[in-house]
Amino acid sequence: MIRVRLMLLAAVASCWGVVALAEERLALVIGNSAYGAVSVLDNPVRDARLMAETLEGLGFDVTLAADAKQIEMKRAIAQFGRKLRNAGEDATGLFYYAGHGVQSFGSNYLLPVDVALSDAADLDLMAIEAQSVLRQMASARNRTNIVILDACRNNPFETVADLNQSGLAEMKAPTGTFLAYATAPGDVALDGEGENSPFTEALAREITVPGAPVEQVFKQVRRAVLEQSGGKQTPWDTSSLVSDFTFAAAAPQAAMTAAELEEAQIWASIQESRDAMQIMLYLRGYGEGRFADEARALLAELVQEELQASQPVAEAPPAPAPVQDAESAMFQAAQGDGSKAAYEAYLMAYPEGQFAEMAAAEVAALAAGAGQDPAAGGEAPATAPELAAEQAPEPVSEAGPVTYASPLHVGVPEISGLTLAEAVTRSPAFPPIEGLPDSYWKDQSCSNCHQWTRERLCTQGNTYLSLNMQRSLGKQHPFGGALKQVLKSWAAGGCQ
């Protein structure tokens, strides 16, 4: 089913993408599984075939080599170099390899299926140096080259002296080259329990997204593999590109800018979580965005569910009469609840809504009353200190790069010295949003409220890298703006 869906996506993309792509596209795809003298791998040949089919749908002239011996790999690489040189400077070259790969003395080697090695000194005689592929591509002096290595699945030569290093070494990319690895330098990638490796499965899906820049494609691949592997595998890339490149051109009159694509990806993640707090944060950053109406409708639905769940069964009112839209439903729910928090939730979702004046009047009346909030059952909590929009958040000290396991050096005593993993288990000192009912936040950890995992924290940190979300860094937060700044710094470093 995965392969059928990806082929359909590639076919749809090609309907509007290939016609608009004037440059010649050449690809050499190699997948080695049936090794003779070292461990057999299940997925590389299937991975190579999936990539070849997907790339052909995107306008690439693909040469596929499966279970290739050394002489066959060398011949295919040489022919690929000649074709690329003859294609001209506007051509795009792509090399993909799946199979065993090792490093020795800082150089990477791709292993043919007939490799047999008893001494590390013979490696360059028995294998294919990855740098030779880069030399062939660089000799064409074309504008864009892409090299993708889904290798380093394990070290097949652990018993050979001087070949006990794991993973691949990071290579220098010649100008105009994008280098992508299935995992970080020195780490081991997963072969996968299904028909394809996690890296190639995600890659074949993401390259069919219309209008997605190559950098965005591999960022999405990294997120998908991190989530699927539980943080055990982090795809890596390095770039010296000087031109823009997309695998699938955007649909006519429907091109998405990088900001629009980023918003779409953020909203897809939030929509799947059905987290009311995340939806409110999205509306703060994208109140006029393309998914704002959808976000408000979902928020109204979640608020309605929460209000109905909080009412005693014996006193449950009759079902309300049908309303015309999500805004009316949310305001009607606020009226039924009668609390300050319910009206404020409506105002957050619809600050210029048709019932905004009435909701604001109710909030003012409740605030000016006897200091009671029906939802809280007692004294309304004091307003939490809020940062001015122009006020900078608490500084993060320059004590080295922020990692998931390193202590935080911030000016907030409640979390200073803790790791990110520990910080999100602490309880907030006041409601994250003024007037939020106690049941949402009191005696709850940040992790319970947001269902934080390492991957979700990384996704949230990446939202702070967006220009559209910069202003949210200075907004009220139970641990001040420092935690948001930490998440932003962590995401900027690749969520290590």
Side-chain angles (χ1 to χ4, degrees):
M1 285 299 295
I2 291 174
R3 177 170 297 183
V4 171
R5 179 164 56 86
L6 290 171
M7 290 176 65
L8 287 173
L9 283 171
V12 171
S14 68
C15 289
W16 62 69
V18 175
V19 175
L21 298 170
E23 82 279 5
E24 189 170 357
R25 296 178 157 201
L26 303 173
L28 173 58
V29 176
I30 300 176
N32 289 339
S33 291
Y35 288 91
V38 298
S39 57
V40 173
L41 296 173
D42 292 332
N43 287 332
V45 169
R46 288 196 292 261
D47 291 337
R49 288 173 178 158
L50 174 59
M51 281 301 300
E53 292 168 358
T54 307
L55 290 170
E56 285 177 347
L58 295 171
F60 281 83
D61 178 2
V62 179
T63 299
L64 172 63
D67 287 332
K69 297 179 180 179
Q70 185 192 46
I71 186 62
E72 295 168 340
M73 288 182 66
K74 286 185 174 181
R75 185 182 298 120
I77 292 169
Q79 291 174 348
F80 176 58
R82 283 196 294 272
K83 289 176 66 174
L84 198 55
R85 287 189 290 272
N86 292 333
E89 64 179 15
D90 291 332
T92 295
L94 185 147
F95 175 80
Y96 169 92
Y97 172 80
H100 277 306
V102 296
Q103 65 165 301
S104 177
F105 295 100
S107 295
N108 294 324
Y109 294 87
L110 313 179
L111 304 188
V113 294
D114 59 347
V115 67
L117 193 70
S118 58
D119 195 299
D122 296 333
L123 183 61
D124 60 345
L125 302 177
M126 306 297 296
I128 305 295
E129 187 180 7
Q131 200 68 33
S132 66
V133 178
L134 293 179
R135 284 194 293 269
Q136 287 286 334
M137 300 175 84
S139 71
R141 302 185 185 279
N142 57 312
R143 184 173 300 163
T144 302
N145 286 311
I146 300 169
V147 176
I148 304 168
L149 302 179
D150 190 357
C152 52
R153 304 183 184 212
N154 58 54
N155 182 1
F157 301 125
E158 290 181 344
T159 59
V160 177
D162 299 326
L163 271 179
N164 55 3
Q165 292 177 293
S166 62
L168 296 181
E170 187 168 8
M171 298 185 293
K172 291 184 178 181
T175 302
T177 305
F178 190 95
L179 283 171
Y181 307 82
T183 192
D187 285 349
V188 176
L190 303 176
D191 192 38
E193 298 178 356
E195 291 189 354
N196 299 105
S197 77
F199 174 77
T200 294
E201 180 181 313
L203 177 60
R205 179 179 65 249
E206 294 300 331
I207 63 176
T208 62
V209 176
V214 61
E215 296 85 358
Q216 188 67 31
V217 164
F218 282 91
K219 183 188 293 183
Q220 287 302 108
V221 169
R222 183 157 45 250
R223 289 173 176 168
V225 174
L226 276 167
E227 181 175 357
Q228 186 172 346
S229 67
K232 296 178 181 178
Q233 180 176 337
T234 304
W236 205 261
D237 55 66
T238 182
S239 173
S240 63
L241 290 179
V242 293
S243 301
D244 296 331
F245 179 79
T246 58
F247 287 95
Q253 300 179 347
M256 293 178 69
T257 65
E260 288 171 337
L261 182 64
E262 183 176 40
E263 181 191 354
Q265 291 162 345
I266 291 171
W267 170 240
S269 174
I270 293 173
Q271 185 181 35
E272 183 179 359
S273 74
R274 291 180 65 84
D275 187 326
M277 295 291 293
Q278 290 285 341
I279 296 172
M280 291 180 184
L281 288 172
Y282 168 82
L283 287 170
R284 285 183 179 183
Y286 298 96
E288 302 299 326
R290 60 186 304 186
F291 305 103
D293 290 341
E294 194 175 344
R296 294 186 181 101
L298 180 56
L299 182 60
E301 177 186 335
L302 295 174
V303 170
Q304 178 83 356
E305 291 174 0
E306 177 67 23
L307 294 177
Q308 289 177 348
S310 66
Q311 294 175 347
V313 176
E315 301 177 6
V323 292
Q324 296 300 313
D325 54 39
E327 181 185 355
S328 299
M330 192 168 187
F331 183 72
Q332 187 179 83
Q335 286 182 310
D337 184 68
S339 70
K340 179 169 172 279
Y343 285 113
E344 287 178 335
Y346 164 81
L347 286 172
M348 179 173 291
Y350 299 97
E352 305 296 331
Q354 57 181 320
F355 308 110
E357 187 174 348
M358 296 171 59
E362 291 291 344
V363 170
L366 288 168
Q372 301 288 323
D373 185 343
E379 289 292 328
T383 301
E386 183 158 3
L387 295 172
E390 68 277 7
Q391 180 181 347
E394 293 87 350
V396 180
S397 73
E398 299 297 326
V402 176
T403 68
Y404 191 66
S406 62
L408 305 179
H409 299 276
V410 296
V412 181
E414 290 84 352
I415 61 172
S416 183
L418 302 179
T419 66
L420 270 175
E422 294 168 335
V424 296
T425 65
R426 296 302 191 263
S427 298
F430 56 83
I433 297 176
E434 182 184 356
L436 196 68
D438 286 359
S439 60
Y440 274 93
W441 68 274
K442 209 163 192 177
D443 298 324
Q444 300 287 328
S445 74
C446 297
S447 187
N448 287 339
C449 179
H450 293 289
Q451 298 180 342
W452 286 132
T453 62
R454 179 169 179 166
E455 293 69 43
R456 288 192 176 187
L457 280 172
C458 183
T459 299
Q460 184 64 28
N462 275 288
T463 66
Y464 296 140
L465 296 175
S466 165
L467 291 176
N468 290 330
M469 293 294 283
Q470 292 299 307
R471 57 185 177 180
S472 71
L473 290 171
K475 292 197 174 185
Q476 174 186 327
H477 187 277
F479 296 138
L483 186 60
K484 295 181 181 181
Q485 286 285 356
V486 165
L487 285 174
K488 176 183 176 183
S489 299
W490 181 52
C495 297
Q496 297 301 303

